[in-house]
Amino acid sequence: MSTPRIRPIDPPYTAEMQADFDKIMRGQPPLLLFRTVANNPRVLQRMMAGGLLDRGSISIRNRELMILRTCANCQAEYEWGVHVAVFGGKGQWTKEQLYSSVYGGDEDACWDTVDRLIIRLSDQLHKKARVDDSLWADLSARFTEEQLVELIVLAGPYHAVSFMVNATGVQHEAFAARFPGQCG
């Protein structure tokens, strides 16, 4: 899709909207995604209030792998690329892991045991909207119930974000990564 189906709003923003942008963007200009959702300020406020990018019960690496794989499963290159650019250093991803997060699977040699479980979890939630007993047993051996709740709930908002960016044609951010092997 070459042009967005819904244009991102342009400044000046209302004081309330600017305050919402400032909370999440910490002084940086708002992402095109947020400016697109801002066409419905109520939805933007709810989206901003429901974020899970704070210090949670799981590591940043685990959180980001769940997000990357969920976005890759949804073919949401925009959101995948933003997370690689913004949180990639904290996730300490290798080129092989970034490639595998999009095109590979849990069996790829670049993943450790915990990474494999997160990929399997993301894949099962995406494909079946459930987790089979075997995977649940493996997950429960490695994660607390608090951590499992967080990992599972992460999939929901990132499916919604993926639907939004894919359906509306949000354009790629200049700073964001592209899927491995993609240009421009």
Side-chain angles (χ1 to χ4, degrees), residues 44-65:
L44 177 68
Q45 284 181 333
R46 299 297 189 282
M47 184 179 172
M48 298 289 194
L52 289 171
L53 297 181
D54 59 345
R55 186 173 300 204
S57 62
I58 58 176
S59 70
I60 290 174
R61 180 181 173 83
N62 291 347
R63 179 194 77 200
E64 289 302 309
L65 181 55

Side-chain angles (χ1 to χ4, degrees), residues 142-158:
R142 295 281 182 164
F143 295 101
T144 67
E145 289 178 351
E146 178 183 20
Q147 292 171 320
L148 289 170
V149 166
E150 187 166 347
L151 282 166
I152 293 165
V153 169
L154 271 169
Y158 284 93

Side-chain angles (χ1 to χ4, degrees), residues 4 13 17 30 40-41 46 65-66 79 81-82 90 92 101 110 112-113 140 163 170 173 180:
Y13 310 118
M17 191 171 294
N40 184 325
R46 299 297 189 282
L65 181 55
M66 186 63 170
E79 191 67 9
V82 167
K90 292 179 180 177
Q92 299 179 337
S101 76
C110 60
D112 68 22
T113 301
S140 295
F163 298 158
V170 174
E173 302 287 350

Side-chain angles (χ1 to χ4, degrees), residues 18 31 60 75 90 96 99 113 117 120 166 169:
Q18 185 65 58
L31 296 173
I60 290 174
Q75 291 299 297
K90 292 179 180 177
E96 293 81 11
Y99 183 89
T113 301
L117 290 172
R120 287 175 54 206
N166 289 342

